[in-house]
Amino acid sequence: MDTLVSGIQPTGRLHIGNYLGALRNLVDLQDSGEHACYYFIADLHSLTEPFDPKEKHRQVLELAADLLAAGVDPERAVVFPQSLVPAHSELAWILNTITPMGELERMTQFKDKSARQAEHINAGLFDYPVLMAADILLYEPKFVPVGDDQLQHLELTRTLARRFNAKYGKTFVEPKALLTKTSRVMSLKDPSKKMSKSVPDGCLFIDDEPETIMRKIARAVTDSDATLVYDPERKPGLANLLEIYGALTHLAPKAVAGEFAGTSYATFKEKLAVLASRHFAAFRTRKKELLADPESLRKILAAGAEKAGTIAQKKIDEVKRQVGLIG
Ligand code: AMP
Ligand code: TRP
């Protein structure tokens, strides 16, 4: 059985783009029974963006509830917060010493985030990809399920593995990215932009209540020509809604358009809203139940951290021996 590692930052509620682009894939990979899955909450990474310390722990628990409510099963996948496994930070430090500044300066995510938070360009933001490499390399995964925005970080991870092996002897395996098939979900308010939590108005959150889903989809930006066809170039707003419908029903967006041909946008939007509320009905209930019992969530996370910690500790000990820190 091969190993998979993936992490998600705890920074707030998940939207349907996060679900279709990442979370659902993690659940499917776990359910296939073909992989040992390590799914962690990247709480250390999340400190690189402005946050409220009073909120952080709640965000970690909320993401844990999201993962479990969506179908991640702690009996079959190891679920844990990164900060409870110190080997992540230790390996990041050691990898720092073989990472040229120039390679980090080229990272597009660093450039984007620095532009967005000009008043808070911290060393952690710069070093983010090295911690990510450590997260991955500790568990020797064959695959890392990520969105295409993370490909550059994964390439750096592979480079660091190769460089470490060349310098200190074979220690790490080079992982490959496992890209999710679903294309990008666009904002409901502006279909030229990716759905993103930085513009909450354009997001359909997966724990939104049915009334909210109805309202948001009814108001989603489309176009004034009322012909219902799948045409991403000329009708990007409608195309985005057809893609969401298709992703939830495992149909091609063109086939969805065919099914609704001749009906009005309003009819289609209503059906999509009903579909989305039903799709996430069990999720909403389960998430509320899980969040009502934070102590149980903490226990699940601690148990996951213990399992992950055993594997990670072996690897960091090996690394320290290779580097000459321990004899
Ligand atoms: P973020 O919180 O933006 O870092 O996203 C977490 C995960 O969700 C990453 O794997 C992204 O690739 C994925 N993701 C975020 N936004 C979207 C979107 N609008 N469409 C598809 N996937 C997304
Ligand atoms: N950087 C990833 C993101 O923003 C999150 C992440 C941190 C991650 N460490 C990881 C993903 C290790 C995969 C593997 O989506």
Side-chain angles (χ1 to χ4, degrees):
M1 192 148 42
D2 58 47
T3 297
L4 300 182
V5 175
S6 198
I8 304 185
Q9 292 194 61
T11 48
R13 298 162 74 198
L14 298 180
H15 55 66
I16 196 163
N18 298 134
Y19 175 76
L20 296 173
L23 182 51
R24 181 167 78 170
N25 192 35
L26 298 185
V27 176
D28 289 346
L29 287 164
Q30 165 205 277
D31 288 347
S32 76
E34 289 167 16
H35 318 279
C37 300
Y38 291 83
Y39 295 154
F40 67 92
I41 297 171
D43 52 355
L44 294 173
H45 276 114
S46 77
L47 305 184
T48 61
E49 289 177 50
F51 68 97
D52 176 354
K54 290 199 234 26
E55 288 291 303
K56 192 44 75 186
H57 183 63
R58 196 194 50 74
Q59 289 181 330
V60 169
L61 293 183
E62 177 162 12
L63 181 52
D66 282 323
L67 292 169
L68 303 185
V72 172
D73 172 4
E75 298 293 321
R76 287 183 291 156
V78 184
V79 184
F80 62 102
Q82 182 189 35
S83 66
L84 285 189
V85 181
H88 288 240
S89 311
E90 291 186 74
L91 180 57
W93 182 260
I94 293 172
L95 293 178
N96 271 334
T97 64
I98 59 162
T99 310
M101 301 278 283
E103 286 186 31
L104 296 179
E105 276 159 5
R106 284 194 289 114
M107 294 290 152
T108 55
Q109 188 171 295
F110 171 66
K111 290 189 225 166
D112 290 350
K113 288 190 178 173
S114 307
R116 252 192 285 142
Q117 53 185 68
E119 70 301 333
H120 188 54
I121 306 178
N122 59 90
L125 198 61
F126 187 63
D127 202 30
Y128 182 112
V130 180
L131 177 58
M132 178 161 164
D135 297 335
I136 296 169
L137 294 176
L138 280 173
Y139 302 95
E140 307 192 332
K142 187 158 180 189
F143 295 111
V144 183
V146 279
D148 56 4
D149 58 328
Q150 297 298 316
L151 283 179
Q152 204 182 15
H153 293 164
L154 211 73
E155 218 29 71
L156 177 74
T157 304
R158 293 165 56 82
T159 305
L160 293 182
R162 227 177 295 129
R163 190 168 302 147
F164 188 98
N165 290 345
K167 196 167 159 115
Y168 297 111
K170 176 97 181 100
T171 309
F172 295 123
V173 295
E174 281 182 52
K176 292 192 183 66
L178 193 63
L179 281 180
T180 322
K181 277 171 253 101
T182 315
S183 54
R184 297 198 302 173
V185 178
M186 308 312 278
S187 164
L188 299 181
K189 287 282 169 195
D190 177 357
S192 70
K193 298 214 168 71
K194 197 171 108 162
M195 186 179 285
S196 157
K197 62 171 183 287
S198 54
V199 188
D201 259 8
C203 290
L204 192 64
F205 294 105
I206 60 177
D207 62 0
D208 271 339
E209 293 297 336
E211 312 80 73
T212 312
I213 297 179
M214 290 288 173
R215 183 172 40 84
K216 285 184 177 172
I217 293 182
R219 290 186 192 162
V221 170
T222 47
D223 55 85
S224 51
D225 165 56
T227 331
L228 210 149
V229 289
Y230 179 62
D231 184 345
E233 288 283 305
R234 288 184 24 248
K235 294 165 169 278
L238 179 65
N240 187 41
L241 299 180
L242 290 165
E243 282 164 14
I244 295 174
Y245 193 104
L248 293 176
T249 51
H250 299 283
L251 289 170
K254 237 189 173 136
V256 179
E259 209 175 286
F260 288 97
T263 66
S264 68
Y265 283 14
T267 307
F268 165 64
K269 281 177 158 184
E270 199 179 316
K271 293 276 196 246
L272 173 59
V274 170
L275 175 73
S277 352
R278 289 209 184 122
H279 189 90
F280 294 108
F283 170 87
R284 286 191 298 274
T285 310
R286 185 85 189 101
K287 179 171 175 180
K288 281 183 204 139
E289 287 166 4
L290 286 160
L291 282 177
D293 185 3
E295 213 31 63
S296 296
L297 281 175
R298 285 188 197 103
K299 277 195 191 128
I300 290 171
L301 294 178
E306 191 158 336
K307 280 190 218 161
T310 308
I311 309 286
Q313 191 59 45
K314 277 203 195 110
K315 200 70 201 171
I316 192 71
D317 285 347
E318 183 189 343
V319 167
K320 287 180 181 170
R321 266 195 305 277
Q322 298 284 70
V323 174
L325 287 171
I326 51 179

